[in-house]
Amino acid sequence: MYAFTLERPATVADAAKLVAAGAKPLAGGQTLLASMKLRLSAPEQLVDLSGIQELSGIKKDGGTITIGAMSRHLDVANNADVKAAFPALADLASRIGDRQVRAMGTLGGSVANNDPAACYPSAVLGSGATVVTSKREIAADDFFQGLFTTALEEDELITAIRFPIPKRAVYEKLRQKASHFPLVGIFLAQHDSGVRVAVTGAGNGVFRHAGLEDALNKSFTAAAAAAVKIDASELNSDLHASAAYRANLISVLTQRAVTKALG
């Protein structure tokens, strides 16, 4: 490893100042440290966020659950309020990566990185969550902007994510056996305002599928999902799977999610 300095601020304000000056924030480090080892990233200064108390904690308040950005995947998976009120989110967190990743990876780090095959962005977008930052609040529909790209400004840090609790929700994924990333993942949530379907792993970033949402708002059945034609023209095709295969997975996994939701 090459030389760099490590800062450990105690407040979000101090961390934001360091980031604004060019430092790189370090949350769980599951992506950043690996990229540094490969020399794909070479920051001269890291800002360790783990000592900032205001970034931790999980709180249920009425119809929402607010989760601090530095909450580990295991924290979310094992939290009693999340398991009782939003079991799909706890289930998603419990199946991210492997034990080591779940023990170190964080909600805020995953969402800020916006890997096109990450699990958490689908939960944020699929449930219509709000990303709370050091500057403002950003609706999920406005936050994710494509491959590893978000609405975050250079000196802006995620402090928490506020999830509305759905009537019912399910996360279904087919994972790559080597990396444990989803080849395709579907997060389906039904609110009083309607159904949201978010897809991860299939495109250049997480996205909502309007056709599936329209069909399921009319008839919340697996048959309705099966009748939707999934366009493969803008989906990923790589050594893991073709675009056509991913299109089929979107349909099949959505049908499974609906069946499980109705369960």
Side-chain angles (χ1 to χ4, degrees), residues 95-151:
R95 294 188 285 137
I96 294 175
D98 53 31
R99 290 184 179 181
Q100 290 87 345
V101 169
R102 292 191 291 272
M104 291 299 296
T106 66
L107 169 62
S110 175
V111 173
N113 189 47
N114 193 20
D115 188 294
C119 296
Y120 264 132
S122 70
V124 174
L125 185 60
S127 62
T130 300
V131 180
V132 183
T133 80
S134 53
K135 290 184 169 185
R136 53 185 169 147
E137 296 188 355
I138 309 171
D141 286 324
D142 300 322
F143 183 81
F144 300 104
Q145 299 183 348
L147 187 68
F148 295 106
T149 305
T150 71

